[in-house]
């Protein structure tokens, strides 16, 4: 790869603003909802789906539902997007507060990671 192009790609990656927020895996058959915080929603969906498809996800209830109903039995969505300015700042506390708000609002919801 051209070194100049490589530098441009690295700089673009460092300056990107990934979508942060609360993601949801909802089993359409049972209504069970699994919520998680995400610093990059697209990457989080990909990572979790890969673990579920490989049958190595640590949440046994979510893994069992995925095994039983498959990916087509789930609705994946971004529940709420965090509005932020600095992508390098630690937004964990704000994301946890959003997650707790959504867990309290939905009695069928639980964390993806226990």
């Amino acid at each position: 790869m051209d070194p100049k192009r490589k530098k441009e790609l690295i700089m673009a990656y460092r300056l990107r603003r990934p979508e942060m927020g609360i993601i949801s895996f909802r089993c359409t058959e049972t209504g069970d909802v699994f919520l998680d915080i995400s610093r990059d929603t697209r990457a989080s969906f990909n990572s979790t789906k890969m673990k579920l498809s490989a049958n190595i996800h640590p949440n046994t209830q979510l893994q069992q539902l995925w095994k039983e109903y498959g990916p087509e039995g789930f609705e994946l969505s971004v529940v709420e997007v965090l509005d932020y300015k600095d992508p390098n700042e630690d937004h964990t506390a704000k994301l946890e507060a959003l997650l707790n708000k959504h867990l309290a609002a939905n009695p069928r919801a639980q964390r993806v990671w226990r």
Side-chain angles (χ1 to χ4, degrees):
M1 178 181 282
D2 175 33
K4 184 178 177 186
R5 177 69 178 142
K6 184 176 179 180
K7 257 186 166 175
E8 289 172 355
L9 290 172
I10 290 171
M11 186 56 74
Y13 179 79
R14 287 184 181 156
L15 295 175
R16 73 187 182 96
R17 290 179 40 96
E19 182 180 68
M20 292 187 199
I22 306 303
I23 61 171
S24 168
F25 285 77
R26 186 178 77 79
C27 181
T28 55
E29 298 293 324
T30 65
D32 291 319
V33 178
F34 300 87
L35 302 175
D36 197 14
I37 64 171
S38 175
R39 287 170 191 78
D40 184 339
T41 57
R42 191 173 74 192
S44 294
F45 280 130
N46 288 340
S47 174
T48 303
K49 287 190 305 186
M50 185 279 306
K51 288 175 183 151
L52 289 166
S53 296
N55 202 27
I56 59 170
H57 198 280
N59 186 321
T60 54
Q61 183 182 4
L62 175 57
Q63 183 66 66
Q64 184 59 38
L65 290 169
W66 188 270
K67 196 174 186 180
E68 188 173 341
Y69 300 110
E72 57 279 344
F74 279 82
E75 179 182 277
L76 283 53
S77 62
V78 177
V79 178
E80 187 169 349
V81 175
L82 178 68
D83 184 29
Y84 67 97
K85 292 182 178 154
D86 183 4
N88 298 315
E89 184 181 321
D90 183 12
H91 300 287
T92 305
K94 293 175 189 172
L95 290 167
E96 284 290 339
L98 285 177
L99 176 61
N100 289 331
K101 177 182 89 170
H102 287 285
L103 287 170
N106 186 347
R108 298 228 35 183
Q110 57 185 295
R111 292 176 175 263
V112 167
W113 304 97
R114 292 183 180 177

